Amino acid sequence: MNGTDPEPVRAAVAPLLEVRDLRSGYAGSTVLQGVDLVVQRGEAVALLGRNGSGRSTLARALMGLQESQGERLWRGESLRGLPPHRVARLGLGYVPESRDIFPGLTVRQNLLLGLQPQRRTPRWTLQDSWRMFPALQAREHTAAGRLSGGEQQMLTLCRTLVGDPDLVIVDEPAEGLAPQLVDRLARCLADLHARGLALLLIEQKLALALTVCQRCLVMGRGTIVFNGSPRALREREDLRQEWLGL
Ligand SMILES: Nc1ncnc2c1ncn2[C@@H]1O[C@H](COP(=O)(O)OP(=O)(O)OP(=O)(O)O)[C@@H](O)[C@H]1O
Ligand SMILES: [Mg+2]
């Protein structure tokens, strides 16, 4: 022993998120059959797959919202046994597919609930939320339940972002959004990436994923069947047909 503490060294070299042989499912059906994936600091990764391929199940298992077997490591440390709010506090943010707002609270109150006061200077502030989504600022004092579905989706995203995650898992954010809002969303995601946030973007629409992400994962049969660059995925028509139905 040389007396130095190996823990900080391990945390510095470990990927932000690493998953090994993750298995999960529901009563009577296994959905995740052994998923391996890595997300590095600041990396934007797309998680693609058909309807029902298990992407949301993976997101929930990562957050600890759903039971799973296998390894989930955050900066090299196991997340096993931690409740979702503790996982979030470590810096793993999650924006679920369903809008997750408090309908009786105002837009502003919803956002304030996302703040993590103990975190250092946040990379994404309330002001950033207003700038990116002016419709939210215009309705700052309106009950969130009265917003349109798309606005509620953006509110859910911004509430997670003001918590200053290091990696944010965003589950099908473009679903049901008007084209104009999809453009804003794409800009928002690109902006986050530019600020050093890592992204795991679950998508069905290739176009959005490919404009925002540098690496693509494809889920099929409960495992990752492709891991490569957007360019490599574009060249694999067989794979897109088989696993994405495109
Ligand atoms: N609460 C649940 N109980 C039982 N089965 C579920 C539940 N949620 C999902 N499933 C099943 O698990 C499988 C994977 O679903 P999941 O929602 O993870 O897929 P997905 O890739 O997110 O697809 P999409 O969002 O397009 O529906 C599907 O067969 C689905 O029917
Ligand atoms: Mg889903």
Side-chain angles (χ1 to χ4, degrees), residues 26 31 50-58 60 97 172 204:
Y26 306 93
V31 174
R50 284 181 196 260
N51 278 321
S53 58
R55 297 158 303 154
S56 298
T57 302
L58 174 59
R60 287 193 299 268
E97 1 173 42
E172 301 221 46
Q204 192 123 37

Side-chain angles (χ1 to χ4, degrees), residues 39 42-48 167-173 185-194 197-218 226-234:
V39 180
E43 203 184 10
V45 179
L47 178 60
L48 304 161
L167 164 62
V168 61
I169 302 169
V170 194
D171 195 348
E172 301 221 46
L185 172 73
R187 264 195 279 150
C188 174
L189 296 175
D191 193 6
L192 293 175
H193 178 54
L197 248 97
L199 282 176
L200 183 62
L201 175 63
I202 298 178
E203 256 306 325
Q204 192 123 37
K205 298 181 188 74
L206 256 187
L208 177 65
L210 297 188
T211 46
V212 174
C213 297
Q214 294 81 55
R215 189 156 63 85
C216 299
L217 304 172
V218 178
F226 173 86
N227 175 4
S229 67
R231 186 180 168 165
L233 183 59
R234 278 201 194 93

Side-chain angles (χ1 to χ4, degrees), residues 132-150:
M132 191 59 79
F133 302 110
L136 288 184
Q137 183 169 27
R139 312 192 70 186
E140 184 179 350
H141 302 295
T142 301
R146 299 184 56 197
L147 301 182
S148 72

